[in-house]
């Protein structure tokens, strides 16, 4: 065999040819985007759209081009407050065609001291300033210029990543003991000689350190000082890039105790030193790139005029590093849990990047949704937005198993039960809520329009003070009032169990409406009690009582209850058998998941009655009907039920609780303080007719009821049914106005119920179209008994 010597240059060429198809190329560039003085700045409402008066330091758009031979992309970071839809659309129109639009990732550092004026929507102009087409065009053009320069600068490159732990650079701005993201992510891209082409940092903290006299100065904030320090350390040719993380509730600390620009410089400089130290430890090489891209439909929102119906979700994988790009400002809890999920799916590291490709305001975790603060108030897609985002990201990851979409339960079929509809719901909390809402979708939508939207349209739920009074007449204030009501109602979610929250979320899904809208429907009685529009929507007045011990005979304890309601709601009886906790049955209306009348399989009975003399219902916690629902779901004895009712925010109601095991009952009067009453001589009335501060109608009803009960030595189910149907008019002063609800059974009575806790049975009757009470039907927590 004759062997030929291969020239060294040819051998090198052959090696390069064999591996060249998958060799990494990279290029980086930066272009200044500092706007002219007078341009409105984006980020603070109190600037009132006024323009910049000075330039403290320039603002930039920075771009990194990467191509592994199969996948090319532009990673862009700009010193802007956000990437709004108008800017993204124009940038994609101008972007180099060498990279498909789906592979262009646009991020903002979130400085509050760079140009606004690029949003057409009126609702955002109070923060971003008037719309200025020339500012949008110039800024978008600079983005495209940076991409072209990065592409033209491409060369053979290597890439690597690492993480470092920071301490003292950031704090939780909402809770001094709250979580902080200590991770700083670093990506190093270098040329064939080992010189850095770009160094990318991922760190979570609001760039909002500029204020006071400098509020109208243009600045990149602390990222600007980070750029200067890092590029000085890395040397000529290196483009420093910054990607903000889950900074929703993170802000800069003051590690060196400085003030003014000194604090801003300190954070940027110390961050750069940590990033450079970390970058120097990274070993770079070839890497496989993968871009994930989707434009999913967003969950429904109560503020549809603020947002489009879809958004952009992107991921970037660099070997076993995962970057997830959030179209808004996630709170840190989302990033910490996303990191756990990514590591569990086999990634070596994960970086969360906020303010990417779109701006949907804040993403707050479910556990914080009821705690009203700026971040939760600016979160408009319900308490489960974290789960929605997590599913979207999971579908784009190439490692591990994707998170499944929740399977909507099939609508439960309703049976006729006398004049009511009867529904049995089983499964997960979300599935139970979905089934219920799917069965009563039209009724829930109608309740929202009648109880919430219509009163806003008519002005009944529009404040008469503040900025509302200065609104021009051509503006539809309902557009603004509904989101504001939704925000104001969130503290009333505090204290609800996770199961109830998930059931409500399921109801929103089954009804096809925003979570906030569904919640407003649930708490409509409380809203209107505060809005002083009782003629529109009245909370329940009713009659309730218990007989116990020998007065109840062999039954030990019996409860009778009529519920009066101003609106002619269709009655429903719903039996819930959740995966955990107690099964229970309730009588109410299609739209309401709370409980005014119900019993669980442990023999606990609850009823509530509105008593205006005890005060207005509080908005500092869940409405009474959701507290009662929690009692039914979790209490198995009277002591446990009373403990769950020990909530200082409850007022304006009387609640009756009965229990089969101890054969007794209690009434809790919730006023400024809670007063507990026990049965006397075997009888317990919801209201004592001798109370001096009750209304005339309640006094008339309960006076009549006491007389009926006193005539019977032993009270059984048939007697209670007769009493609840009693429509004898009260004895009243002929000169006084008629007492519409003075009779036990009156024109506003919507259901009559007798509870037998001992066998776990309930008898329910509802008025027919003629107003007469129909036949009673019996229901147990076992099978339906016609």
């Amino acid at each position: 065999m004759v062997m030929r010597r291969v020239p060294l240059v040819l051998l090198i060429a052959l090696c390069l040819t064999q591996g060249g198809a998958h060799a990494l190329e990279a290029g980086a560039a930066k272009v200044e985007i500092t706007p002219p003085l007078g341009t409105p700045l984006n980020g603070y409402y109190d600037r009132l759209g006024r323009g910049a008066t000075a330039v403290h330091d320039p603002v930039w758009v920075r771009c990194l081009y990467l191509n592994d031979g199969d996948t090319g992309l532009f990673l862009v970071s700009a010193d802007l407050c956000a990437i709004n839809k108008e800017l993204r659309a124009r940038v994609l129109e101008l972007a180099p065609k060498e990279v498909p639009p789906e592979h262009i990732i646009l991020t903002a550092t979130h400085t509050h001291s760079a140009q606004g004026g690029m949003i057409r929507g009126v609702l955002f102009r109070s923060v971003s300033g008037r719309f200025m087409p020339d500012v949008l065009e110039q800024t978008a053009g600079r983005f495209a210029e940076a991409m072209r320069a990065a592409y033209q600068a491409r060369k053979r490159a290597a890439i690597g990543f690492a993480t470092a732990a920071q301490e003292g650079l950031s704090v939780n701005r909402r809770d001094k003991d709250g979580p902080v993201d200590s991770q700083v992510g670093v990506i190093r891209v270098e040329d064939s000689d080992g010189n850095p082409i770009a160094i990318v940092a991922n760190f979570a903290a609001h760039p909002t350190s500029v204020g006071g006299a400098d509020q109208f100065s243009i600045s990149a904030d602390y990222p600007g000082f980070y750029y200067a320090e890092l590029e000085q350390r890395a040397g000529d040719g290196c483009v420093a890039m910054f990607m903000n993380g889950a900074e929703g509730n993170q802000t800069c600390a003051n590690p060196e105790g400085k003030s003014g620009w000194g604090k801003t410089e300190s954070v940027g400089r110390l961050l750069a030193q940590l990033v450079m130290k970390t970058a120097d430890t990274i070993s770079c090489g070839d890497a496989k790139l993968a871009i994930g891209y989707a434009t999913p439909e967003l969950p429904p929102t109560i503020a549809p005029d603020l947002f489009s119906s879809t958004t952009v979700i992107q991921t970037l994988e660099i070997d076993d590093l995962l970057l997830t790009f959030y179209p808004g400002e996630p709170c840190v809890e989302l990033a910490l849990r996303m990191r756990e999920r990514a590591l569990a799916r086999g990634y070596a590291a994960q970086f969360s990047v906020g303010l990417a490709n779109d701006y949907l305001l804040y993403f707050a975790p479910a556990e914080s949704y009821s705690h009203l603060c700026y971040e939760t108030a600016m979160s408009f897609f319900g308490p489960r937005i974290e789960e929605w985002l997590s599913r979207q990201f999971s579908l784009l990851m190439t490692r591990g198993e994707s998170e499944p979409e929740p399977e909507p339960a099939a609508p439960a079929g309703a049976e006729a039960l006398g004049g009511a509809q009867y529904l049995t719901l089983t499964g997960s909390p979300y599935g139970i809520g979905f089934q219920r809402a799917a069965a009563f979708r039209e009724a829930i939508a109608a309740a929202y329009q009648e109880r919430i939207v219509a009163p806003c349209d008519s002005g009944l739920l529009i404040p008469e003070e503040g900025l509302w009074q200065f609104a021009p007449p051509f503006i539809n204030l309902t557009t603004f009032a509904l989101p504001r009501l939704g925000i104001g109602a969130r503290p009333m979610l505090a204290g609800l169990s996770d199961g109830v929250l998930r059931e409500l979320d399921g109801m929103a899904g089954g009804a096809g409406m925003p979570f906030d809208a569904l919640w407003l429907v649930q708490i409509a009685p409380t809203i209107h009690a505060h809005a002083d529009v009782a003629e529109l929507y009245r909370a329940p007045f009713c009659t309730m009582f218990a007989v116990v011990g020998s007065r109840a005979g062999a039954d030990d304890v019996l409860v009778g209850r009529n519920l009066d309601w101003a609106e002619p709601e269709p009655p429903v009886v719903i039996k819930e058998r959740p995966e955990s906790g107690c099964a229970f049955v309730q009588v109410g209306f299609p739209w309401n998941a709370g409980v005014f009348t119900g019993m669980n399989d442990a023999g606990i009975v609850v009823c509530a009655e509105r008593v205006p003399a005890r005060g207005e219902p509080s908005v500092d916690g869940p409405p009474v009907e959701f507290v009662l629902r929690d009692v039914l779901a979790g209490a198995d004895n009277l002591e446990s039920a009373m403990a769950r009712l020990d909530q200082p925010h409850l007022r304006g109601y009387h609640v009756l609780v009965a229990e089969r095991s101890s054969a007794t009952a209690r009434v809790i009067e919730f006023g400024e303080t809670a007063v507990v009453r026990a049965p006397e001589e075997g009888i317990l009335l919801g209201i004592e007719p001798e109370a001096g501060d009750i209304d005339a109608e309640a006094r008339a009803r309960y006076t009549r009821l006491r007389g009926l009960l006193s005539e019977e030595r032993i009270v059984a189910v048939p007697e209670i049914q007769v009493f609840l149907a009693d429509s004898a008019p009260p004895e009243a002063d002929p000169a006084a106005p008629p007492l519409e609800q003075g009779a036990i059974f009156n024109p506003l009575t919507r259901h009559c119920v007798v509870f037998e806790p001992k066998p776990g049975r309930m008898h329910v009757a509802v008025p027919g179209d003629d107003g007469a009470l129909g036949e009673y039907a019996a229901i147990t927590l076992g099978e339906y008994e016609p």
Side-chain angles (χ1 to χ4, degrees), residues 35-41 47 49-55 113-114 215-218:
L37 296 182
T39 302
L41 304 180
R47 288 190 181 116
R50 288 175 288 175
T53 59
V55 176
S113 301
Q215 190 172 7
F216 292 92
S217 294
I218 295 169

Side-chain angles (χ1 to χ4, degrees), residues 71 167 203 228 545 676 694 759:
T71 300
E167 184 175 353
F203 166 70
F545 64 95
V676 179
I694 63 171

